[in-house]
Amino acid sequence: IDFYENLIWGPFDDDYLERQIRIGETHEALDLLPRYYMMCYNTYAVRFQERLPAELDRWESAAVTKLQQAMTKALNMSVAIVWEAYYRAREVRIQARQLEVEKQRNELQHLHVFATNQLELLQTRIHQLEADAGPGQGVERPHLQAPAWLTDQ
């Protein structure tokens, strides 16, 4: 009952807004998709509609209609706030992941450049050793080839 009373009568103040934002952020942090939140709200709406006739037999139909409209508006407002918070939190997490991927990509590029330079230095040193040994000395030359994962770009 408190849930319904708060939803209909408020107060719709800063505390209410903060609670709704926290719900959205918590759902995102737990990776709970918005459909689960909507299923819960649907359950609340159905239960409210089930209880409504028994409580409102003594009310005028215009008052019942206004109450239903207020409930619908309050539910929609709550859903909108929660979803906005959810998607803002999701966007922040996606941006953080993108930054991490970019950082790892840069580190791999630096590693690729370093490994390529080391391979070139090694090949240059082998050529120097061959030249220093002179013709016919038979310097054994190892087969040096960069791994495919290093040369593919």
Side-chain angles (χ1 to χ4, degrees):
I1 297 292
D2 287 344
F3 171 80
Y4 301 108
E5 287 179 4
N6 289 335
L7 191 60
I8 295 169
W9 308 115
F12 300 106
D13 55 8
D14 289 342
D15 289 339
Y16 167 81
L17 183 62
E18 285 299 317
R19 279 192 311 274
Q20 300 309 316
I21 289 171
R22 213 175 17 247
I23 289 169
E25 291 172 345
T26 301
H27 280 219
E28 196 287 324
L30 296 172
D31 211 18
L32 291 173
L33 299 176
R35 68 175 170 242
Y36 298 114
Y37 176 77
M38 289 305 300
M39 288 186 319
C40 289
Y41 255 69
N42 183 55
T43 300
Y44 292 140
V46 168
R47 287 185 181 165
F48 177 76
Q49 292 296 328
E50 289 171 351
R51 291 180 178 180
L52 198 56
E55 298 292 326
L56 301 179
D57 282 342
R58 61 188 184 279
W59 289 33
E60 296 178 21
S61 64
V64 172
T65 300
K66 285 185 179 185
L67 181 61
Q68 289 172 326
Q69 289 171 343
M71 178 70 170
T72 300
K73 286 179 183 179
L75 281 169
N76 288 339
M77 181 176 64
S78 179
V79 166
I81 294 168
V82 169
W83 277 33
E84 178 70 21
Y86 175 91
Y87 284 109
R88 284 185 183 194
R90 173 67 44 118
E91 184 64 27
V92 167
R93 185 167 26 156
I94 288 170
Q95 288 173 354
R97 286 180 182 168
Q98 287 172 335
L99 288 174
E100 184 61 30
V101 166
E102 185 64 25
K103 179 182 171 189
Q104 290 176 356
R105 183 177 160 277
N106 288 336
E107 289 173 359
L108 287 173
Q109 284 178 333
H110 285 93
L111 179 61
H112 175 263
V113 168
F114 175 77
T116 301
N117 289 339
Q118 292 301 310
L119 184 59
E120 288 174 5
L121 287 173
L122 187 55
Q123 288 173 335
T124 300
R125 182 66 181 135
I126 289 171
H127 289 302
Q128 287 173 348
L129 288 172
E130 287 176 338
D132 290 348
Q137 292 299 316
V139 174
E140 191 174 324
R141 181 183 177 137
H143 176 70
L144 294 177
Q145 183 176 352
W149 62 267
L150 185 60
T151 57
D152 290 344
Q153 294 188 26

